[in-house]
Structure formats: structure tokens, C-alpha cells
């Protein structure tokens, strides 16, 4: 009896060492295993993600366009210069019958500086500046939306990784237990206490566990690679989540309050509201065509010689200052269809705003229901684990006393394993659904 106990301890020790070896060897071929927190992953994503960089570039472009629109208020300055060499002209009488060569100054030069200052253009400049400011705000909201989407994606993948690591942990413990049972069965089959089919069934169970670990390990590698892309980390970096600083799900959430916060915080609504204002600004710009344009003008000019052909060898300088008014009267009838088009665009933007609110309403309700469901699932799966564990203990006791078949203990162990994995998934899913609800509320 003592030798059997020593053998059993020996087997457990050997199997534990082998399991630890394989656990470390799973990622031996990867470049790096990195421990990472959720806040760190999100911060890296905001700093390095290419989608956010592209959206930020659009903000810079919009700001440059805004500066360009403001330049329309500044004076227009210009300069012109000219030089001509005039050959000896001839004056003909009749039809080229007689000509006279005129002696005159061969060089002619002219130079001028002009300036024009818009005084009133029907408000079109201010309207264009206001529209460009709205476009800047629009691009900034796109950056915020992109950041929020990246945060949500990183969060979801982060907790999916944690779920896979926990599944592997549970399954590897089952592999150790199954290996011990296989060693026992080999001895019992040799002594005729069990059938060969019992051993094969247990070995099949162990093989299934190993396949599950293999698949989960590959999934960890794929998700890690995706997170590497999102966060800008080196390729092939295997990530190991740490759940420090994770938001604790609140169970006393209210649907109406969640919807109210979503309407206040979601950048999709802010973007749709800006689209309405942009459409209204386009209408104002179009209506500016009904009004006159007033400009102040200044001209400084110099000419040498003063006149030609009866010139004198002198220089003529003069300056001109004045106002110019331009009013396109035809705009009163040719802008009609453009105004109608602008009004239709305003109506369309308002409809898009209502559609955006509908989508957000559905997002919040769906996230709220899924979160509530995930919280309830935890208590259910806890009961399942307790029941499966009690059943396993009973079956194992009966098996140890030769009152149950190996198939019974295998089935009981499978049920316990599935219950533990389901509970693990339920705990992680509740956190994922809580973060998704925060995203739907615009608080992520």
C-alpha cells in the first residue's frame, strides 16, 4: 500500500514538472512575452495607432484650411513691371506709296503697385470662416470617435486574452489529473481490473484537453498580434493581461440614465449636429450671392517716357484710390435651385441626426440588456460549478471504491471542466459587457 502511495506521489511530481515545462514552452518560439495592463494598452493605442494618426492629420489639414479662409480678409497686394524696346517706326502714305521714318525714344518702361481690400462681400468671408471652423470641429470629433473605437476594440481583445489564459489554466490542471488517472489505469488494465477501452477513453479525453490548449494558445497568438497592431508594439509580441485597475461593474445602473448620458457624450451625435450646422452655413454662403461686393482699391504707377509718340524725356508717376461696387443682379433668379439644394441638405442632415440617435438608442439598450444578462449568468454558473464539483466528488468516491465505471468519472470530470470554463467566461463576459456599456454611453 505504501509503495502505491509513493508511486502516486512520484507520478504527480513528474506530471507537475512536465506541465510547467510545457506551459513555459508554449511561447518559446515567440519573440517576447509582455505583461500588460489595460490602461497601458489603451495609452499605447492612442499614441501609436495609425487610424488615430490619420484622423489627427485631417485635423491639421482642416486647421490649415481655416487659416487660408481667414486670409481672405487681408488686402490683395500685387506688382507689375514691363519693359519694351521700340524699333524705328515708319508712317506710310497711301497704300505703301511713301513712308517717313520717325525718330523717337527706343526704350519704354512701366511699373505699378496695386492693392485691393474687401470691405463687404455680402458676409461670404465670415460665413466661409465659420464653416471651416465647423469642419475643424468635425475632424476633431472624428479623432475622438476613432480613439473611443480603438479603446473599445483594445478592451474587448484584452479581456478575450484573459479569458483564454484562464481556460488554458483550467484545462492544463485537468491534463495533469487525467495523466495521473492514465498511469493508474495502465496498472489496473495490466492487472485485469479495468478494460482496455477504459484506458483508451481516458487517453482520448486527455487528447481533447491538449487540443483545447493548443487551440487556445494559437488564439492567444492571433489576438496578441492584433493588439500589437492596434497598440504599435513590435510584431509577434505575446501579451499577458494583468487585471489591475479594472473598472468594477456596477449592478445598479438605470437604462434611462444610461440613454441620457449617451445622448450627451457620444461623439456620433455631436458629429451629426455639426453636419447640420455645416449645411446651414452652406446656405448662408449661397445667400451671400444676393448682396453686393464692395472693395477699396489703391494703385501706384510710374511710366517712362511720359507719353508716346509725342513724348518728352521725363517720367510720369501717379496714384489712384477709390471704391468699387460689384452686384450680380442675375443672382436673384439663378441662385434659386442652389438654395433649394442647400435646404434639402439641411433636411437630410437633420434626418441623419435622428437616425444617429436611433442607432445609439439601440446600442445602449442592447449593451444594457447584455450586461444585465451577464451578471445573472455568473450566479447561475457558480451553482453549476458547485453542482458539478459535488457530483464529481461523489462519482470519484464511488470509482475509488469500485462502485462506478471509468466512463462515469470521465463524464463527471468533463462536466466539472465545462462548468469551470463557463464560470470563468461568465466573469470575463460581464466585465466586457460593462465596458461595452460604458462605450455605448460615451464614457469609455
Amino acid at each position: 500500500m505504501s509503495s502505491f502511495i509513493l508511486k502516486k506521489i512520484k507520478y504527480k511530481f513528474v506530471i507537475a514538472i512536465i506541465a510547467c515545462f510545457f506551459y513555459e514552452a508554449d511561447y518559446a518560439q515567440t519573440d517576447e512575452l509582455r505583461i500588460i495592463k489595460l490602461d497601458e494598452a489603451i495609452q499605447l493605442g492612442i499614441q501609436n495607432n495609425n487610424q488615430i494618426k490619420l484622423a489627427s492629420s485631417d485635423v491639421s489639414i482642416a486647421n490649415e484650411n481655416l487659416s487660408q479662409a481667414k486670409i481672405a480678409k487681408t488686402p490683395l497686394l500685387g506688382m507689375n513691371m514691363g519693359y519694351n524696346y521700340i524699333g524705328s517706326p515708319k508712317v506710310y502714305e497711301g497704300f505703301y506709296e511713301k513712308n517717313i521714318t520717325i525718330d523717337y525714344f527706343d526704350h519704354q518702361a512701366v511699373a505699378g503697385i496695386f492693392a485691393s481690400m474687401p470691405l463687404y462681400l455680402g458676409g461670404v468671408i465670415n460665413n466661409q470662416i465659420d464653416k471651416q471652423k465647423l469642419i475643424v470641429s468635425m475632424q476633431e470629433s472624428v479623432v475622438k470617435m476613432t480613439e473611443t473605437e480603438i479603446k473599445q476594440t483594445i478592451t474587448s481583445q484584452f479581456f478575450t486574452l484573459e479569458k483564454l489564459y484562464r481556460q488554458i489554466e483550467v484545462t492544463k490542471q485537468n491534463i495533469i489529473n487525467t495523466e495521473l488517472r492514465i498511469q493508474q489505469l495502465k496498472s489496473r488494465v495490466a492487472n485485469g481490473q479495468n478494460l482496455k477501452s477504459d484506458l483508451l477513453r481516458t487517453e482520448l479525453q486527455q487528447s481533447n484537453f491538449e487540443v483545447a490548449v493548443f487551440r487556445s494558445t494559437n488564439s492567444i497568438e492571433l489576438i496578441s498580434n492584433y493588439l500589437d497592431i492596434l497598440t504599435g508594439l513590435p510584431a509577434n509580441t505575446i501579451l499577458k493581461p494583468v487585471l489591475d485597475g479594472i473598472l468594477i461593474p456596477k449592478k445598479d445602473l438605470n437604462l434611462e440614465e444610461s440613454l441620457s448620458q449617451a445622448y450627451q457624450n457620444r461623439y456620433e451625435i455631436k458629429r451629426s449636429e455639426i453636419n447640420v450646422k455645416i449645411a446651414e452655413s452652406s446656405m448662408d454662403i449661397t445667400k451671400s450671392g444676393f448682396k453686393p461686393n464692395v472693395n477699396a482699391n489703391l494703385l501706384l504707377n510710374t511710366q517712362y517716357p511720359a507719353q508716346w509718340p509725342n513724348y518728352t524725356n521725363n517720367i510720369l508717376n501717379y496714384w489712384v484710390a477709390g471704391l468699387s461696387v460689384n452686384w450680380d443682379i442675375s443672382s436673384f433668379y439663378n441662385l434659386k435651385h442652389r438654395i433649394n439644394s442647400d435646404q434639402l441638405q439641411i433636411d437630410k442632415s437633420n434626418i441623419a441626426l435622428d437616425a444617429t440617435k436611433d442607432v445609439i438608442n439601440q446600442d445602449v439598450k442592447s449593451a444594457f440588456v447584455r450586461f444585465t444578462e451577464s451578471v445573472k449568468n455568473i450566479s447561475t454558473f457558480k451553482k453549476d460549478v458547485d453542482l458539478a464539483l459535488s457530483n464529481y466528488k461523489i462519482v470519484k468516491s464511488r470509482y475509488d471504491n469500485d462502485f462506478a465505471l471509468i466512463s462515469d468519472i470521465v463524464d463527471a470530470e468533463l462536466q466539472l471542466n465545462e462548468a469551470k470554463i463557463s464560470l470563468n467566461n461568465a466573469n470575463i463576459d460581464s466585465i466586457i459587457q460593462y465596458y461595452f456599456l460604458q462605450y455605448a454611453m460615451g464614457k469609455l
Side-chain angles (χ1 to χ4, degrees):
M1 182 69 180
S2 60
S3 63
F4 175 75
I5 295 175
L6 289 175
K7 274 187 178 181
K8 190 172 183 181
I9 295 174
K10 180 179 178 182
Y11 283 136
K12 285 186 177 181
F13 181 73
V14 171
I15 297 304
I17 293 177
I18 293 174
C20 292
F21 171 77
F22 280 111
Y23 184 80
E24 297 297 331
D26 281 340
Y27 306 109
Q29 295 180 349
T30 59
D31 293 339
E32 182 183 359
L33 176 64
R34 175 165 179 165
I35 308 298
I36 193 168
K37 297 181 180 180
L38 178 59
D39 291 343
E40 181 186 1
I42 289 176
Q43 188 62 34
L44 288 171
I46 293 174
Q47 292 176 357
N48 302 323
N49 187 264
N50 287 327
Q51 295 180 26
I52 296 177
K53 290 180 180 179
L54 285 174
S56 298
S57 297
D58 290 335
V59 173
S60 300
I61 293 171
N63 279 312
E64 290 298 325
N65 291 334
L66 174 59
S67 299
Q68 183 65 37
K70 291 179 178 179
I71 290 176
K73 286 187 172 183
T74 61
L76 173 64
L77 298 176
M79 181 177 65
N80 60 65
M81 301 179 66
Y83 167 80
N84 297 313
Y85 179 84
I86 303 174
S88 299
K90 295 182 179 181
V91 177
Y92 289 88
E93 295 181 1
F95 190 72
Y96 293 98
E97 295 176 357
K98 182 180 179 181
N99 66 76
I100 300 173
T101 300
I102 300 176
D103 184 19
Y104 71 105
F105 199 71
D106 294 328
H107 304 279
Q108 184 184 53
V110 63
I113 297 176
F114 60 90
S116 179
M117 177 70 179
L119 299 180
Y120 178 73
L121 299 180
V124 65
I125 295 178
N126 289 331
N127 288 331
Q128 287 176 340
I129 291 174
D130 292 340
K131 181 179 180 179
Q132 195 57 47
K133 287 180 179 178
L134 291 171
I135 293 175
V136 172
S137 298
M138 169 73 74
Q139 297 301 333
E140 289 174 345
S141 69
V142 171
V143 172
K144 294 297 183 181
M145 285 173 56
T146 306
E147 287 182 358
T148 303
E149 291 171 358
I150 294 300
K151 287 180 182 179
Q152 170 59 21
T153 304
I154 289 175
T155 300
S156 177
Q157 298 301 317
F158 179 88
F159 286 115
T160 301
L161 269 184
E162 177 65 18
K163 186 189 298 184
L164 290 169
Y165 275 107
R166 291 190 181 185
Q167 288 177 3
I168 290 176
E169 183 180 350
V170 172
T171 307
K172 283 189 173 180
Q173 182 59 48
N174 288 324
I175 291 176
I176 294 174
N177 296 336
T178 307
E179 181 63 30
L180 291 173
R181 187 171 299 110
I182 289 173
Q183 298 304 322
Q184 294 173 359
L185 280 172
K186 286 180 178 179
S187 175
R188 293 168 69 94
V189 169
N191 296 329
Q193 296 175 283
N194 282 89
L195 299 174
K196 180 69 174 179
S197 59
D198 295 334
L199 177 60
L200 294 176
R201 182 184 176 92
T202 306
E203 289 176 340
L204 177 61
Q205 180 191 26
Q206 185 187 48
S207 177
N208 290 333
F209 285 151
E210 291 172 348
V211 169
V213 170
F214 179 70
R215 288 178 176 173
S216 296
T217 302
N218 288 339
S219 297
I220 287 174
E221 185 174 352
L222 293 174
I223 294 175
S224 294
N225 183 69
Y226 184 35
L227 283 172
D228 292 342
I229 295 173
L230 291 174
T231 58
L233 290 173
N236 299 324
T237 301
I238 300 299
L239 302 177
K240 178 70 170 65
V242 176
L243 300 187
D244 294 343
I246 299 302
L247 291 178
I248 299 175
K250 298 179 180 179
K251 301 180 182 179
D252 56 345
L253 294 175
N254 180 274
L255 178 58
E256 295 301 324
E257 182 182 351
S258 300
L259 284 170
S260 176
Q261 292 191 24
Y263 291 146
Q264 293 176 6
N265 300 328
R266 287 286 289 267
Y267 286 101
E268 289 88 340
I269 291 182
K270 296 178 181 179
R271 183 182 181 185
S272 296
E273 291 173 344
I274 292 174
N275 271 328
V276 173
K277 293 179 180 179
I278 290 176
E280 293 172 345
S281 180
S282 296
M283 169 78 83
D284 293 336
I285 292 173
T286 301
K287 289 182 176 180
S288 299
F290 291 128
K291 300 174 183 179
N293 298 334
V294 181
N295 292 278
N297 303 306
L298 177 65
L299 173 65
L300 301 176
N301 192 72
T302 182
Q303 182 176 329
Y304 176 84
Q307 57 182 349
W308 182 87
N310 297 323
Y311 66 91
T312 56
N313 191 13
N314 53 24
I315 298 175
L316 173 65
N317 288 337
Y318 63 91
W319 62 272
V320 176
L323 296 175
S324 64
V325 179
N326 179 32
W327 198 346
D328 184 7
I329 303 299
S330 63
S331 64
F332 285 94
Y333 56 84
N334 64 20
L335 291 180
K336 175 182 178 181
H337 296 293
R338 193 187 304 175
I339 290 177
N340 290 339
S341 175
D342 290 340
Q343 183 59 54
L344 291 172
Q345 184 62 46
I346 293 173
D347 296 340
K348 178 182 176 181
S349 298
N350 281 311
I351 294 172
L353 174 59
D354 293 336
T356 300
K357 290 181 179 180
D358 291 340
V359 172
I360 290 175
N361 184 290
Q362 180 62 27
D363 286 348
V364 174
K365 286 185 177 179
S366 176
F368 186 86
V369 170
R370 294 305 179 194
F371 170 67
T372 305
E373 177 185 295
S374 67
V375 172
K376 292 181 178 179
N377 286 341
I378 293 176
S379 58
T380 301
F381 286 120
K382 281 182 178 178
K383 292 180 181 178
D384 289 347
V385 170
D386 293 339
L387 292 173
L389 181 59
S390 298
N391 179 64
Y392 174 76
K393 289 179 178 179
I394 293 172
V395 173
K396 187 176 185 302
S397 175
R398 295 182 63 196
Y399 174 76
D400 291 339
N401 291 283
D402 294 329
F403 290 109
L405 301 175
I406 186 64
S407 59
D408 298 328
I409 191 68
V410 169
D411 291 339
E413 191 169 74
L414 284 174
Q415 290 176 356
L416 179 59
N417 180 65
E418 292 175 358
K420 288 181 178 179
I421 291 178
S422 296
L423 176 59
N424 164 70
N425 292 343
N427 284 317
I428 299 299
D429 286 339
S430 68
I431 299 176
I432 292 175
Q433 293 301 328
Y434 181 71
Y435 272 87
F436 188 81
L437 179 58
Q438 296 299 302
Y439 165 76
M441 294 166 59
K443 297 177 65 177
L444 185 59

